[in-house]
Structures are given as C-alpha cells and as structure tokens.
C-alpha cells in the first residue's frame, strides 16, 4: 500500500512541476507588490484551466503527503532502533541461540596508549 501511494505521490509531483512550468507568467510575480500594490490586489484574472489543474494537483499532493506520513507513523510506532539491533532479527540466529546482541563497548574507540594529556595529532603508524 505504501509503495502505491508513494508512486502516486511522485507522479503528482512531476505533474505539478510540469503544470506550473506550462503556465504563462503575467509579469507580476513578487515584483508586483513592490510599488503601488493596489492594482495587483484589486485586479483578479479569471481562473484558467491550468490554474484549476494546479489547485487539484496541489491538493492531491498534500493528501498523499499526509497519507504517507500516517503510514510511516503506523509502521514506526512501538519500536525503537535499539530494540531492532539487540533482538538480532534473524530467524536462524534465534533458533541456535547465538543472536548477535549489540556490544556497546565495541563501538568505542580503543584507549590511547600515549599520555592522556598529550595533544591529539595524527600519526603515520
């Protein structure tokens, strides 16, 4: 289900980009608000087909974004990354009892064999 919504989301994004690029620039944009903004605010052009299509695609894009967020939240609820690492997750290791638990001490760098007060400098050993 998540893959289907994701593919629809990507197609909507590409279609929205294409529709926005096809629209004609009226020359206003952000520059119309600079001087006398009264003319830019009072005159409203009629909605074109591309404008309506842009709104439809934008609303559909937002809906798929919210749907993907809800699906991701449901998949992630009740689990932690640390729980996944410590359980092993492999059926073969669970049967034999030799699950690889996360060794937190093995993740630390080795202790320094030189004076602890010495500055840290790269060596070419």
């Amino acid at each position: 289900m998540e893959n289907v919504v994701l593919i629809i989301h990507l197609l909507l994004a590409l279609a929205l980009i294409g529709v926005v690029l096809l629209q004609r620039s009226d020359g206003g944009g952000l520059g119309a608000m600079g001087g006398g903004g009264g003319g830019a605010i009072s005159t409203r052009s009629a909605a074109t087909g591309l404008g309506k299509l842009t709104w439809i695609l934008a609303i559909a894009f937002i809906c798929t974004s919210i749907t993907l967020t809800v699906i991701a939240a449901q998949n992630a609820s009740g689990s932690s990354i640390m729980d996944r690492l410590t359980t092993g997750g492999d059926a073969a290791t669970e049967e034999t009892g030799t699950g690889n638990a996360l060794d937190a001490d093995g993740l630390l760098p080795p202790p320094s064999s030189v004076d602890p007060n010495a500055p840290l400098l790269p060596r070419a050993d």
Side-chain angles (χ1 to χ4, degrees), residues 28-109:
L30 293 176
M33 293 295 183
I41 294 174
S42 63
T43 58
R44 182 173 176 184
S45 61
T48 63
L50 283 177
K52 291 178 183 178
L53 184 61
T54 303
W55 275 104
I56 292 170
L57 290 175
I59 291 169
F61 183 81
I62 291 171
C63 289
T64 56
S65 297
I66 292 171
T67 304
L68 285 171
T69 303
V70 169
I71 291 172
Q74 287 176 349
N75 290 342
S77 65
S79 67
S80 171
I81 293 177
M82 294 306 291
D83 293 338
R84 293 179 197 168
L85 290 176
T86 57
T87 58
D90 190 7
T93 58
E94 289 177 8
E95 291 175 1
T96 60
T98 60
N100 295 333
L102 180 64
D103 182 20
D105 293 330
L107 297 176
L108 297 174

Side-chain angles (χ1 to χ4, degrees), residues 112 114-120:
S112 177
V114 294
D115 182 26
N117 295 329
L120 297 175

Side-chain angles (χ1 to χ4, degrees), residues 19-44:
V19 168
V20 168
L21 289 176
L22 285 175
Q23 290 182 8
R24 185 180 64 123
S25 173
D26 292 336
L30 293 176
M33 293 295 183
I41 294 174
S42 63
T43 58
R44 182 173 176 184

